[in-house]
Amino acid sequence: MPRMNNRRIMAKHYAQGVIAHLNLLGYHDEQAKLVFFRHYREMKRIFGLEPNVGEFAKLIDEFERAIRREEDNLKNPNYIKVGPLHERLIKLKSKQEKWKSTMAFELTESMLQKIKEWDSCHTTDATEAKFAYIFIPTGLGIIIKVTCDICNRVLDLTDDFQ
């Protein structure tokens, strides 16, 4: 019997994990497998194997429930179909992409100099970590504050940021 390559083994374990999470979400063993295989190919095409198995199982559960609602609504003569689930998958993927985007904040040399002048505390631990840097994006700009974890003083650097 030929050995499976690492990618197939990884996908197999991923699928087993998703099915196990579907069991936790209330699907019975056979039902979980049927639901998984019904949605796996399309969702893998869109999301890949990026979401962890719990998130992937929740996505499958969400779409299975949406299909059931759709089927129930089709029986209702007053129901008007809005659009296919594929479009909802694409929208959900774009939301996840937005969540993954990161913001980068930087301190200028003048800000670092102001922090050195303001700092009067000495750390006792090996890391010498004593400041919490707080960046709050607003419509008017970014609020920048530095909090000393030792004496709880706060330095507002907002004016220095232009």
Side-chain angles (χ1 to χ4, degrees), residues 2 8-9 17 19 21 25 29 31 34 43 64 73 77 87 110 114-115 143 148 154 157:
R8 284 188 65 193
I9 292 172
I19 291 170
H21 275 277
L25 292 174
D29 290 333
Q31 185 185 16
L34 289 172
M43 293 183 72
E64 181 64 20
N73 287 334
E87 293 173 11
S110 64
K114 194 169 186 177
I115 292 170
I143 298 171
C148 179
V154 177
L157 296 172

Side-chain angles (χ1 to χ4, degrees), residues 4 12 19 31 80 88 134 137 155 159:
M4 288 196 278
K12 179 182 176 184
I19 291 170
Q31 185 185 16
I80 300 171
R88 291 177 66 187
I134 303 165
L155 173 64
D159 296 334

Side-chain angles (χ1 to χ4, degrees), residues 43 47 51 55-64 92 96:
M43 293 183 72
F47 295 105
E55 291 173 358
F56 202 89
K58 287 177 184 175
L59 289 170
I60 288 175
D61 179 51
E62 179 182 339
F63 285 108
E64 181 64 20
L92 189 60
Q96 283 187 341

Side-chain angles (χ1 to χ4, degrees), residues 14 16 18 28 33 42 50 60 64-65 79 89 99 101 111-112 119-120 128 134 137 141 143-144 146 155 159 162:
Y14 187 84
Q16 290 171 343
V18 172
H28 301 293
K33 288 178 185 176
E42 181 72 20
E50 285 183 31
I60 288 175
E64 181 64 20
R65 289 174 191 260
Y79 177 72
L89 276 171
W99 293 335
S101 65
M111 289 178 185
L112 292 172
D119 179 25
S120 62
E128 295 190 15
I134 303 165
I143 298 171
I144 303 171
V146 180
L155 173 64
D159 296 334
Q162 299 299 335

Side-chain angles (χ1 to χ4, degrees), residues 87-98:
E87 293 173 11
R88 291 177 66 187
L89 276 171
I90 300 298
K91 287 179 185 176
L92 189 60
K93 176 69 173 176
S94 67
K95 282 183 185 178
Q96 283 187 341
E97 302 268 331
K98 288 178 187 174

